[in-house]
Amino acid sequence: MAPNKKAEPAAATGLAARICEMPLLWDAGAARAKLGDLLKSDRKAATRLRPLIPEKSGPRALVEGIADGSPFLWDIVRTDPETLATLLEAPPETSLARIVGEAADAAREARADDGLMRALRTMRRQAALLIAIADIGGVWPVVEVTRALTEVADTAIDAAVCYLLRQAHTAGKIRLDPARPGTNSGYFVLGMGKLGAGELNYSSDIDLIVLYDRTAPLERGLDPSPFFVRLARDLVRILQDRTEDGYVFRVDLRLRPDPGSTQIAIATDAAFDYYERVGQTWERAAMIKARVVAGDFAAGEAYLKELAPFVWRRYLDHAAIADVHDMKRQMHAFRGHEEIAVEGHNVKLGRGGIREIEFFVQTQQLIAGGRAPGLRGRETLASLNSLAAEQWITTEARDQLTDAYLFLRRTEHRLQMVSDEQTHTLPDDRAALDRFAKFYGMNGRDEFATHLTAHLRKVQAHYASLFEDAPPLAAIEGKFAFPADADDRETLETLKRLGFKEPLAASTIVREWLKGAHRPLRPDAARGDLTAILPGFIVSLARTGNADAALIAGDRFFSALPGAVRLLAALRTHPDLVQLLATILGTAPRLGEIVAQSPSVLDGLLDPAFFGVLPDEKLLADRLNATLGQAANEEELLDLTRRFGREQQVLIGVRLLSGTISANRAGELYARLADVLIRAVHRWVEERFAATNGRPPRAESAVLALGKLGGNEMTAGSDLDLILLYDYDAEHPESEGGRPLHATQYYARLTQRLVSALTTPTNAGKLYDVDLRLRPSGRAGPVATSLESFRIYQAEQAWTWEHMALTRARVVSASSAFRARIDAEIRAVLRTDRDRQTVARDVLEMRRAIAEDKGEDDRWDLKCAKGGLIDLEFIAQYLQLVHARARPEILDTHTGRVLEAAQAMRLFGRADGETLRAAFALYHDLTQVLRLCLAQRFEPGKAGPGLLALLARAGELPDFPRLEAYLIDTQTKVRRIFEKIVGGAAE
């Protein structure tokens, strides 16, 4: 099924004549104006283009669609319209061969890095436009598109490797045949993942492993390790560095063995030793796609052949099968509902996405490929065919997964074409998704959603049935008996086999449960349901990777429950909920404590729409108002507010834990929830206070958020940085009520009531911690501030750090008119003309003070670490303060959006911009998980495998060592950029 609007192709073979699909236009007027301006501005190009894109033709609609939907592609067209004409005139196959051929020829002739780098970047830019047109226009099917993208990457990598080897030969460091420098060099590069499979996506990173043979023909006395590491470093630089011509590919070397401890090029014998000793199941799966892409192809093929026994086991490996089952369970902690939110869905990692199809294929290859060589293919669709031919799957499964894969890959490519970003996430608001759907070629959001969800549900169904004969969590060999008077010996053996290091202690804990040692477990009904779920619960706890700690967390959970009968009954009837609870207790004890205080919050997880569309702000507010409408008195209203907030926090946390929302989205949702709660409490406090004291005439108050709430970057543990602002009629400052108060006293007391309503513990706990220290004059100032005092203070007395904090100020609760006045005052302050050097010095001094006070050497203190989140935030805040006067569009409360705006303004290079944006995403993702899971400092050496795996998944890396290596590298780069931008301006 091809969703796009169709046009009949002409008989000619040129690209323009073969276009048969095209996008629909979101803003037709703007798109046509862009094309019109282009044709007017370059007469030579227009002469060639007009016959190729006549009015009301498919090619013209496609070019207008690019102007409308892809800033990246339109920039290529706008800056080089002659290339567009050349591509439209010729068959795409001919153009691709010409483009890669010219790059390969230029690389062979290159005598210096800049010539090579220019040739490769020209190839990439031209190929990007060609392949996009062939994809959008329906000229090439998805498989041909991915093959073309892979050919470009292969050409670039091989050209760079050959160039570097020739340079080394000329320098007398290695003895080679300059005409065929890779041959017998002992140095080769493996393409992994989609590159290895020949399935590269449109804006893909390339996963490489660089290897060398210690017996390579180096000049005598030359150590192979530093030589080949330097070669690998130069390879990355040539491909990845941003120049005035752009870049070729972002390179990822983290799939190599033990990246936290090994150099970026590794000797083959060291790699063999690693895989033999500690190679993991996921690494076996990754090596299925490994392919030699550059260098000494013979040595590379020999290496893969020698490694084959590690990947392909002759007999069914039962330990590997158990690993596969665990991998499947870990991909999402909780499943089972039909609803899928379309907005914000990740088509790669989300439910029913590309990753599940790839997992479906690779794990069956891993288990059966040792005995069936026909299953050892690299390509996903070809492997689906092989699995069907060997009767491992049905033809229906093959066909449905194939259709879904093609649709999802095409969606992925279209997402990446918009801005040339390695993204897989759909727009998270309806209007933006509607625009994207038009660029895809559909009539709008709803048509696209219908097709998408149909495919996702089919993938989910096949994924859920994968290894459906796997033993249920309770069906493990061994005995589960917990008599009241003594420990059962066979049960102790079972617990030991499950991974309990202290089986006797574990048995004692469970026996105490069954004896009703905890008051919530004393009712007969509770203990009956507990007995029924116990085997599955214990196995689920064991599968979190730290069985003993998870069981102890379970013991604390049961002791803290106000009552267990209803919860245990729900667990008995919903086995998925048992696994979810175990996952929470084993990896997110902080979330477990919240659930223990209010177990009814788990009810929300049983709602069939739980994984569906997230409630928007209005719907959330309506639900809260309906809930608070049931309150009979003040105490009950505060309790209901806290229960509502806690339930919503748990629902967000579980979505984050299960991978169904991103960490960035979670930050926005936590902030949205806080906004709704603050607004409701602010309104309620004002009404109650006015009932007693009246109101000052024409007075208004507003709640101003700063910090994480102001930036919409909250986590599960964030407090609220608030300021209460007010305004009143100076001629009538007293309230009109039974107990009149002057406005300053009135709003000071109202602020105290507001803070108390948000923070005071009730039977349902507390809502938030509130911090008022960012108000003018800090602790020394009044708790509420008039707008005029706020304006004067910010204009005349505030320190630079206070203006930095103000960049994240956002009005949460106020009338629309008062909000507009406050926003105008804040923008006026932020757009003040400032001395760049003075601001930079103040920022550096503040950063040094924080380092002295908090330290900056703990890599996992993601906020304070050298090169951590504070460095990122200070870069963003510094740039706003020094550029907002001339460029007000840089003002935004969200750090990520500020960095994007700064890059668009070219306030730093694109390579630095990508580093900063990737760092912000990484730090935010990891912080969300850590705040959700832990109340204390994170220490990797003491963390359980479940939490480490969760962090690795949040960082989109296969294991924790690779994540830690990436974190260290990222922090190093961020600190370098901080010193360049802020430190450089201070000098």
Side-chain angles (χ1 to χ4, degrees):
M1 184 272 303
N4 297 32
K5 180 181 173 183
K6 295 286 184 178
E8 289 300 320
T13 59
L15 176 58
R18 288 166 59 181
I19 289 171
C20 57
E21 298 176 6
M22 62 287 301
L24 301 179
L25 299 182
W26 170 264
D27 187 342
R32 288 163 185 157
K34 285 181 182 179
L35 179 56
D37 290 343
L38 175 70
L39 294 174
K40 290 176 185 175
S41 65
D42 191 325
R43 293 185 178 180
K44 182 180 177 183
T47 301
R48 294 180 62 194
L49 278 172
R50 288 185 192 280
L52 296 165
I53 53 170
E55 294 283 351
K56 299 181 180 179
S57 69
R60 191 177 191 94
L62 186 143
V63 175
E64 289 173 347
I66 287 174
D68 184 55
S70 172
F72 165 67
L73 292 172
W74 183 250
D75 188 58
I76 297 176
V77 170
R78 181 182 56 79
T79 56
D80 192 5
E82 287 280 339
T83 291
L84 173 63
T86 299
L87 295 178
L88 289 174
E89 288 169 343
E93 298 81 8
T94 303
S95 293
L96 181 65
R98 173 184 57 78
I99 290 169
V100 298
E102 288 174 353
D105 291 343
R108 277 190 292 272
E109 298 299 321
R111 295 295 176 264
D113 291 3
D114 57 351
L116 171 71
M117 293 170 74
R118 186 175 303 111
L120 296 183
R121 281 152 181 74
T122 299
M123 172 186 68
R124 196 264 174 176
R125 187 172 60 253
Q126 293 182 354
L129 182 58
L130 167 68
I131 295 169
I133 294 173
D135 189 353
I136 297 170
V139 177
W140 281 346
V142 170
V143 172
E144 191 64 34
V145 169
T146 59
R147 190 175 294 126
L149 291 164
T150 304
E151 184 177 351
V152 173
D154 285 356
T155 301
I157 300 164
D158 188 57
V161 167
C162 288
Y163 166 82
L164 291 169
L165 287 172
R166 273 194 298 270
Q167 293 289 89
H169 170 79
T170 302
K173 295 179 180 179
I174 188 170
R175 299 179 300 278
L176 301 170
D177 176 359
R180 296 182 301 162
T183 304
N184 298 323
S185 67
Y187 176 79
F188 58 93
V189 180
L190 297 182
M192 306 293 290
K194 286 185 167 60
L195 173 63
E199 299 169 340
L200 214 57
N201 60 42
Y202 189 77
S203 294
S204 184
D205 296 352
I206 51 175
D207 293 299
L208 306 179
I209 298 178
V210 181
L211 297 120
Y212 63 89
D213 191 322
R214 293 187 198 271
T215 63
L218 300 180
E219 288 301 322
R220 181 170 300 183
L222 201 59
D223 188 341
S225 178
F227 172 77
F228 286 119
V229 166
R230 193 176 305 112
L231 223 59
R233 190 173 293 120
D234 286 340
L235 171 65
V236 173
R237 176 180 54 80
I238 286 169
L239 295 175
Q240 184 169 281
D241 276 11
R242 292 272 180 181
T243 71
E244 61 183 11
D245 301 304
Y247 75 109
V248 191
F249 288 97
R250 294 174 294 267
V251 179
D252 193 334
L253 299 174
R254 291 170 294 178
L255 288 182
R256 69 186 186 276
D258 195 11
S261 304
T262 58
Q263 294 279 10
I264 58 175
I266 184 169
T268 52
D269 58 348
F272 283 130
D273 179 64
Y274 169 85
Y275 290 126
E276 187 176 82
R277 288 186 299 104
V278 293
Q280 299 177 62
T281 300
W282 75 260
E283 289 174 301
R284 291 176 56 200
M287 291 305 297
I288 290 174
K289 293 183 181 292
R291 176 173 63 88
V292 186
V293 295
D296 191 337
F297 280 81
E301 295 296 345
Y303 170 83
L304 291 178
K305 185 176 181 180
E306 191 171 349
L307 197 63
F310 165 72
V311 181
W312 308 111
R313 305 288 167 83
R314 182 169 297 182
Y315 305 104
L316 287 181
D317 184 341
H318 293 285
I321 293 174
D323 281 349
V324 167
H325 296 159
D326 284 346
M327 287 162 63
K328 180 187 171 188
R329 290 180 180 118
Q330 288 170 9
M331 281 180 67
H332 293 295
F334 182 56
R335 313 185 62 82
H337 291 319
E338 287 292 319
E339 288 295 321
I340 297 174
V342 176
E343 283 79 2
H345 190 81
N346 188 310
V347 297
K348 176 183 176 183
L349 302 176
R351 301 163 77 229
I354 296 166
R355 177 63 58 83
E356 291 190 358
I357 299 172
E358 293 173 338
F359 183 90
F360 182 93
V361 173
Q362 283 181 276
T363 51
Q364 293 185 87
Q365 288 180 287
L366 199 63
I367 288 172
R371 295 189 304 167
L375 298 181
R376 298 182 185 180
R378 296 186 180 102
E379 298 178 15
T380 302
L381 297 185
S383 296
L384 278 170
N385 276 326
S386 299
L387 286 168
E390 297 274 352
Q391 299 185 341
W392 280 84
I393 62 173
T394 65
T395 55
E396 179 189 34
R398 177 200 63 196
D399 293 345
Q400 291 183 350
L401 290 173
T402 296
D403 289 345
Y405 182 81
L406 294 173
F407 181 88
L408 293 171
R409 288 301 307 271
R410 194 171 194 187
T411 301
E412 177 186 54
H413 289 170
R414 205 62 59 92
L415 280 169
Q416 294 173 354
M417 286 174 192
V418 174
S419 299
D420 190 28
E421 293 177 347
Q422 175 69 334
T423 182
H424 313 277
T425 302
L426 293 167
D428 56 15
D429 69 82
R430 188 180 181 93
L433 184 58
D434 195 54
R435 180 168 195 160
F436 171 76
K438 295 286 180 88
F439 183 50
Y440 190 92
M442 293 195 178
N443 288 316
R445 180 265 178 204
D446 291 342
E447 182 185 358
F448 175 78
T450 298
H451 290 297
L452 176 70
T453 53
H455 286 301
L456 296 179
R457 289 195 178 108
K458 287 175 183 176
V459 173
Q460 273 196 281
H462 292 296
Y463 176 84
S465 67
L466 180 61
F467 308 122
E468 60 186 0
D469 57 344
L473 291 178
I476 183 168
E477 273 189 43
K479 190 176 180 183
F480 286 96
F482 300 95
D485 53 347
D487 296 294
D488 179 78
R489 182 172 296 178
E490 291 182 46
T491 298
L492 294 177
E493 288 298 319
T494 300
L495 293 172
K496 186 176 181 180
R497 246 187 347 266
L498 282 171
F500 287 90
K501 295 176 182 176
E502 301 287 344
L504 188 61
S507 175
T508 300
I509 289 173
V510 177
R511 288 196 299 111
E512 290 295 304
W513 292 352
L514 294 173
K515 285 193 292 187
H518 298 315
R519 185 169 60 182
L521 299 178
R522 287 174 189 166
D524 290 341
R527 281 183 289 150
D529 288 332
L530 177 61
T531 301
I533 70 165
L534 202 52
F537 187 52
I538 291 173
V539 175
S540 295
L541 290 172
R543 290 188 184 279
T544 64
N546 195 341
D548 301 88
L551 187 66
I552 291 170
D555 188 54
R556 287 197 300 266
F557 175 79
F558 284 130
S559 67
L561 285 172
V565 174
R566 186 167 171 272
L567 172 64
L568 288 167
L571 292 171
R572 185 171 186 172
T573 54
H574 294 88
D576 268 354
L577 209 54
V578 175
Q579 185 181 341
L580 171 65
L581 180 58
T583 300
I584 290 173
L585 295 173
T587 59
R590 182 176 194 166
L591 186 59
E593 291 171 9
I594 297 174
V595 174
Q597 293 169 10
S598 302
S600 61
V601 299
L602 293 179
D603 291 352
L605 307 180
L606 303 177
D607 184 343
F610 170 64
F611 284 125
V613 177
L614 292 157
D616 60 19
E617 195 164 315
K618 181 181 183 305
L619 181 57
L620 201 61
D622 290 345
R623 289 179 182 175
L624 175 60
N625 291 335
T627 299
L628 298 184
Q630 303 168 24
N633 52 50
E634 178 179 343
E635 181 180 355
E636 191 171 336
L637 185 138
L638 292 177
D639 280 347
L640 288 172
T641 304
R642 282 149 177 75
R643 289 195 182 102
F644 182 88
R646 183 174 290 113
E647 177 172 329
Q648 293 300 319
Q649 286 177 335
V650 169
L651 296 181
I652 295 168
V654 172
R655 282 178 179 267
L656 177 62
L657 196 65
S658 65
T660 56
I661 60 170
S662 67
N664 183 61
R665 186 72 171 135
E668 295 171 353
L669 294 173
Y670 283 128
R672 176 192 293 176
L673 172 63
D675 285 357
V676 168
L677 289 166
I678 290 168
R679 235 171 263 136
V681 173
H682 180 214
R683 183 174 61 248
W684 174 77
V685 167
E686 278 199 320
E687 289 171 356
R688 285 189 59 82
F689 200 67
T692 304
N693 303 97
R695 297 178 189 271
R698 293 179 292 283
E700 289 195 79
S701 69
V703 180
L704 187 67
L706 300 100
K708 293 294 185 186
L709 174 58
N712 287 297
E713 299 166 18
M714 284 186 71
T715 68
S718 295
D719 58 9
L720 306 180
D721 291 300
L722 303 179
I723 297 175
L724 190 127
L725 298 175
Y726 64 91
D727 196 24
Y728 64 98
D729 184 348
E731 295 182 3
H732 304 283
E734 289 198 340
S735 62
E736 299 173 335
R739 299 178 183 176
L741 294 170
H742 189 279
T744 55
Q745 189 178 19
Y746 184 96
Y747 284 109
R749 291 189 182 179
L750 186 140
T751 302
Q752 292 166 344
R753 296 279 183 93
L754 174 66
V755 172
S756 177
L758 291 169
T759 62
T760 301
T762 72
N763 291 332
K766 68 179 176 181
L767 203 51
Y768 293 104
D769 288 320
V770 173
D771 192 336
L772 300 177
R773 288 176 296 177
L774 291 179
R775 68 187 186 272
S777 300
R779 289 191 178 97
V783 293
T785 307
S786 72
L787 181 58
E788 179 63 12
S789 296
F790 178 80
R791 183 190 66 78
I792 293 171
Y793 179 85
Q794 293 292 344
E796 300 176 6
Q797 302 173 45
W799 296 74
T800 297
W801 71 264
E802 291 176 289
H803 287 161
M804 292 166 67
L806 199 63
T807 62
R808 309 188 78 183
R810 180 172 62 85
V811 179
V812 168
S813 181
S815 69
S816 56
F818 196 33
R819 178 192 301 267
R821 289 176 60 200
I822 295 170
D823 286 343
E825 294 290 356
I826 291 172
R827 288 181 70 84
V829 171
L830 295 179
R831 294 193 63 191
T832 301
D833 193 20
R834 292 178 172 84
D835 178 71
R836 181 173 307 197
Q837 188 178 53
T838 300
V839 174
R841 287 174 175 171
D842 288 347
V843 172
L844 285 177
E845 179 57 35
M846 187 175 175
R847 184 67 185 96
R848 279 193 289 267
I850 293 173
E852 290 172 6
D853 182 43
K854 304 287 188 182
E856 61 176 2
D857 295 327
D858 178 2
R859 292 290 189 181
W860 282 98
D861 183 348
L862 298 172
K863 179 178 180 181
C864 295
K866 189 183 300 183
L869 193 54
I870 286 179
D871 283 22
L872 273 179
E873 292 174 347
F874 279 17
I875 289 170
Q877 291 161 13
Y878 162 77
L879 291 173
Q880 289 183 93
L881 292 183
V882 300
H883 291 288
R885 180 172 180 82
R887 306 291 295 274
E889 62 268 29
I890 198 174
L891 293 177
D892 198 299
T893 63
H894 188 276
T895 305
R897 289 195 292 269
V898 173
L899 295 173
E900 288 178 8
Q903 181 172 324
M905 297 174 195
R906 300 185 178 179
L907 300 182
F908 41 67
R910 182 150 186 183
D912 285 350
E914 288 189 353
T915 296
L916 295 176
R917 291 165 61 193
F920 175 76
L922 177 68
Y923 299 164
H924 196 50
D925 290 351
L926 298 179
T927 299
Q928 284 288 2
V929 171
L930 290 173
R931 294 291 178 269
L932 178 67
C933 295
L934 300 175
Q936 68 278 5
R937 176 172 166 265
F938 172 63
E939 298 180 65
K942 297 180 180 179
L947 177 56
L948 298 182
L950 191 61
L951 287 166
R953 189 185 73 191
E956 295 190 20
L957 286 165
D959 62 8
F960 185 78
R962 283 163 176 77
L963 172 66
E964 192 160 41
Y966 179 48
L967 175 66
I968 293 170
D969 181 59
T970 299
Q971 289 172 336
T972 301
K973 290 177 179 176
V974 169
R975 174 48 66 96
R976 175 184 56 79
I977 297 170
F978 176 82
E979 290 172 345
K980 181 168 64 174
I981 293 176
V982 183
E987 295 175 353

